Amino acid sequence: MTENSKPTNYPALYTLIVVFFFWGFIAAGNSIFIPFCKNYFHLDQFQSQLIDFAFYSAYYIGALALFIFSTISGRDLVGKWGYKKSIVYGLLFSAFGAAAMIVAVEVNVYLGMLIGLFIVALGFSLQQTAANPFAVLLGDPKTGASRVNLGGAVNSFGTTIGPLVIGYALFGTFETISDAEISNLPLNKVVYLYIAVGLLFIFAAALFHFSKKVPPGINNEPMEGADKAKKTLVIMTLLLIALFTPVFLSYKSETALHIESLQSQLKAATDIQTAESLQSQIRELMHPLELKRMALLFGALIAVVGSLLFAYNRAQKSPEGWGAMKYPQLVLGMLGLFLYVGIEVAIGSNLGELLTQDEFGNLQSSEITPYISMYWGGMMVGRWAGAVTAFNFSSATKKILTAVVPFIAFGVVLTVNTIAGFNMSHLYFFAICVAIQVIAFFISKEKPVTTLIAFGTLGLAAMIIGLLSSGTVAIYAFLTGGLACSIMWGSIFALSIVGIGKYTEQGSAFLVMMILGGGIIPPIQGKLADIIGIHNSYIVPVIGFAYIILFAILVKGFLKKQNIDIDHIEGSAGH
């Protein structure tokens, strides 16, 4: 440590890292919660994906609200409160969400659970806005990336543990339970889980609040104006509300209720002729209704993409009033993060339904936990390896660790699942996919543009192989999506905010808003699955990975024109 460098505040850092764990634990656990709720509440695939819609749209709403309040006051609201106090507020808000979840579970209402998850994630949004810059503040700025990467590594461990704990809370056992039996399961363990989670939120908040070693982290930098950007985001939000609302209402429409009545009659039908007649009537009514829903959801996707491309086009012609959005790398990066988070979540959240198909093993929902844990564990495999580059090791040591750490992380995923009682022998050969990821790391050479192209290509190839095959090969291919997504966040984020100067804080806020993709893309894939089948619906992440590769190529050109050295840009490991 040099004489002028700032020592790392380790007690505060370790306290902060607990918060990173929470994000991963709850987010990955949703992938188990989705197939459970589908069977428990008798939902279609789109309705089950509303868990992601509620959770990730809260990040967007929270970040947008903070941005609007901050621009009105002319001061960054989180900076004004201080990072410490903001995290305390966020944790208490999440604790309130946990309480709402407990009430919803007790009264057995799916909508109430969605509201509870929304409130939990609103708290996460505030925590996340404060946590990343706070981690940088807790020591020498030059080593800030390593502290954020450490948080990302712990976050990823949470994504590995989350499915196991939540799976046990939902199913009450690690033994197989048929999907038909799920609707009869008691939910008392879910209540206990959220009581524990809520108490942990309160405990972490108290730890932050009363710790004298955690600095307040007040930042009184003025907030840069961006009226045109604000108006565009508000209009985009209103369009999303206008397009999603009729989809929700359609489930209580006269046609939908008539379909439900026919489905009840079908279950009670005793002769083949009556059953065939009822099936024909259901198809005739269902097909146009599903196409209408799909059109509205596709319109929601167009609203986001169109709004960002509109901002990109207008800001290039007249940059005044657009704030950080006047930089092309930022706007295209917002779209990149929107799609990245969307496909990362969609692959995992739809995986449970995929595995119930005959050609993918015909598993029960209670049997999918190790696969979900491996998918999100793949994020940990990549992020642990990505964190190696943030430390000041020699070149030779970095190469050795880059080759070894992914397999250690893979071993951790296998071990925790084995301890939980799952037979993991069918996933041993996934080590081949981990080896391919290691090759991608060496190709990337710590350069963000090359990293996105290499890992984007890995993800694209994996999804195409998954679409064109079935069985173990396809399962491995789709699980490889986790390995491909693992370190994209940091590279997209870093390339999006580099060179935007005084707009860096504002640009970061815009990027955090794009976690919205996790709320929009999975329901779209879910509804597509209702129409063309769950396997074919994986065309969605193919499109997402293709754009990420395109973004890397385009941003390279933009940054070269701005005379920015793209080979020495550092990013964080995860969100």
Side-chain angles (χ1 to χ4, degrees):
M1 188 174 69
T2 62
E3 192 176 332
N4 295 322
S5 66
K6 179 181 177 183
T8 300
N9 185 337
Y10 286 106
L13 179 62
Y14 296 148
T15 308
L16 180 63
I17 282 172
V18 173
V19 178
F20 279 79
F21 179 85
F22 282 142
W23 305 339
F25 180 89
I26 299 292
N30 287 344
S31 296
I32 297 292
F33 207 42
I34 285 167
F36 175 88
C37 286
K38 181 178 181 179
N39 290 287
Y40 190 87
F41 293 104
H42 307 293
L43 310 171
D44 66 18
Q45 190 62 10
F46 165 77
Q47 289 173 304
S48 71
Q49 295 295 315
L50 293 181
I51 287 171
D52 282 335
F53 174 80
F55 190 77
Y56 290 98
S57 63
Y59 274 91
Y60 170 70
I61 296 297
L64 180 63
L66 283 172
F67 171 66
I68 291 172
F69 284 128
S70 297
T71 52
I72 291 170
S73 66
R75 284 268 185 270
D76 175 20
L77 199 58
V78 170
K80 184 180 177 182
W81 287 340
Y83 298 135
K84 175 180 177 177
K85 195 176 285 185
S86 297
I87 290 172
V88 170
Y89 291 160
L91 285 164
L92 292 176
F93 215 88
S94 293
F96 177 65
M101 272 292 285
I102 292 165
V103 173
V105 171
E106 288 283 16
V107 297
N108 214 15
V109 176
Y110 182 56
L111 176 60
M113 293 182 186
L114 297 180
I115 292 170
L117 277 173
F118 180 84
I119 298 169
V120 168
L122 268 181
F124 283 2
S125 176
L126 181 53
Q127 293 164 39
Q128 181 137 333
T129 303
N132 285 313
F134 198 28
V136 175
L137 187 73
L138 294 176
D140 188 343
K142 291 179 182 177
T143 57
S146 68
R147 289 188 292 280
V148 176
N149 281 329
L150 180 60
V154 173
N155 170 274
S156 296
F157 185 64
T159 65
T160 304
I161 298 296
L164 293 169
V165 175
I166 290 179
Y168 182 75
L170 292 171
F171 301 111
T173 176
F174 287 125
E175 295 177 5
T176 302
I177 293 172
S178 71
D179 287 350
E181 294 175 294
I182 286 177
S183 59
N184 297 318
L185 288 175
L187 292 181
N188 59 313
K189 282 193 174 67
V190 181
V191 173
Y192 299 150
L193 172 69
Y194 274 92
I195 287 173
V197 167
L199 290 173
L200 283 171
F201 286 145
I202 293 168
F203 175 73
L207 208 61
F208 263 89
H209 179 71
F210 293 110
S211 175
K212 293 180 180 179
K213 292 186 177 180
V214 179
I218 293 170
N219 177 11
N220 284 316
E221 290 294 317
M223 171 66 74
E224 300 295 336
D227 285 342
K228 291 178 181 176
K230 181 168 63 179
K231 286 177 184 174
T232 302
L233 289 169
V234 169
I235 291 170
M236 183 183 86
T237 307
L238 293 174
L239 285 172
L240 288 173
I241 293 169
L243 289 160
F244 265 94
T245 300
V247 179
F248 298 150
L249 294 177
S250 74
Y251 280 90
K252 293 297 180 184
S253 66
E254 190 176 322
T255 304
L257 294 174
H258 185 39
I259 290 170
E260 280 185 28
S261 173
L262 292 173
Q263 287 172 335
S264 298
Q265 293 175 46
L266 179 61
K267 287 178 183 178
T270 54
D271 65 283
I272 296 173
Q273 192 173 359
T274 303
E276 287 178 347
S277 173
L278 288 168
Q279 286 174 337
S280 176
Q281 290 179 63
I282 290 169
R283 280 195 298 270
E284 285 178 15
L285 291 169
M286 183 69 82
H287 188 64
L289 180 61
E290 291 286 55
L291 290 179
K292 181 183 176 182
R293 289 168 176 165
M294 191 69 243
L296 287 164
L297 292 171
F298 187 69
L301 182 62
I302 294 296
V304 176
V305 176
S307 296
L308 292 175
L309 293 180
F310 169 81
Y312 170 81
N313 183 263
R314 289 302 178 95
Q316 294 309 294
K317 292 178 181 176
S318 177
E320 188 178 346
W322 285 101
M325 282 193 186
K326 68 182 177 182
Y327 293 93
Q329 65 263 35
L330 189 278
V331 181
L332 295 182
M334 288 172 70
L335 180 55
L337 272 185
F338 173 82
L339 291 171
Y340 154 71
V341 177
I343 62 177
E344 172 194 290
V345 175
I347 294 169
S349 293
N350 285 286
L351 193 60
E353 177 64 16
L354 184 80
L355 294 170
T356 64
Q357 307 301 302
D358 289 340
E359 63 270 33
F360 290 94
N362 192 25
L363 301 182
Q364 302 299 311
S365 295
S366 60
E367 296 176 299
I368 67 168
T369 298
Y371 294 93
I372 300 298
S373 179
M374 182 58 73
Y375 173 75
W376 289 104
M379 307 291 290
M380 182 178 79
V381 169
R383 288 174 184 171
W384 280 21
V388 169
T389 63
F391 294 94
N392 193 26
F393 296 122
S394 67
S395 178
T397 304
K398 277 186 181 180
K399 287 178 181 177
I400 293 169
L401 289 174
T402 299
V404 173
V405 166
F407 291 100
I408 293 173
F410 176 60
V412 169
V413 179
L414 291 176
T415 301
V416 295
N417 278 274
T418 302
I419 292 170
F422 291 107
N423 177 10
M424 299 298 287
S425 59
H426 51 287
L427 288 170
Y428 288 165
F429 287 103
F430 190 62
I432 296 169
C433 300
V434 176
I436 294 170
Q437 187 203 42
V438 170
I439 293 169
F441 269 114
F442 282 108
I443 291 171
S444 301
K445 296 178 180 177
E446 301 178 34
K447 297 176 181 179
V449 168
T450 315
T451 296
L452 286 183
I453 293 172
F455 280 79
T457 303
L458 173 62
L460 182 63
M463 293 304 108
I464 292 172
I465 291 169
L467 278 169
L468 298 177
S469 60
S470 61
T472 302
V473 171
I475 292 170
Y476 276 24
F478 291 131
L479 289 177
T480 301
L483 298 174
C485 288
S486 59
I487 61 167
M488 283 186 172
W489 171 275
S491 295
I492 298 172
F493 207 100
L495 288 169
S496 301
I497 62 171
V498 68
I500 69 175
K502 65 181 181 179
Y503 294 102
T504 300
E505 287 289 327
Q506 187 183 95
S508 298
F510 287 154
L511 289 168
V512 170
M513 288 180 202
M514 291 300 102
I515 292 176
L516 171 70
I520 302 294
I521 305 291
I524 288 175
Q525 184 176 343
K527 182 47 65 188
L528 196 60
D530 288 331
I531 298 171
I532 66 173
I534 188 67
H535 190 188
N536 292 329
S537 76
Y538 273 80
I539 188 68
V540 171
V542 169
I543 297 166
F545 281 122
Y547 175 79
I548 288 167
I549 296 168
L550 177 64
F551 165 72
I553 295 167
L554 290 175
V555 81
K556 183 177 181 179
F558 289 132
L559 297 180
K560 277 192 173 180
K561 285 181 183 177
Q562 296 171 30
N563 296 315
I564 294 170
D565 182 4
I566 60 172
D567 292 335
H568 294 89
I569 300 170
E570 293 185 0
S572 60
H575 59 92

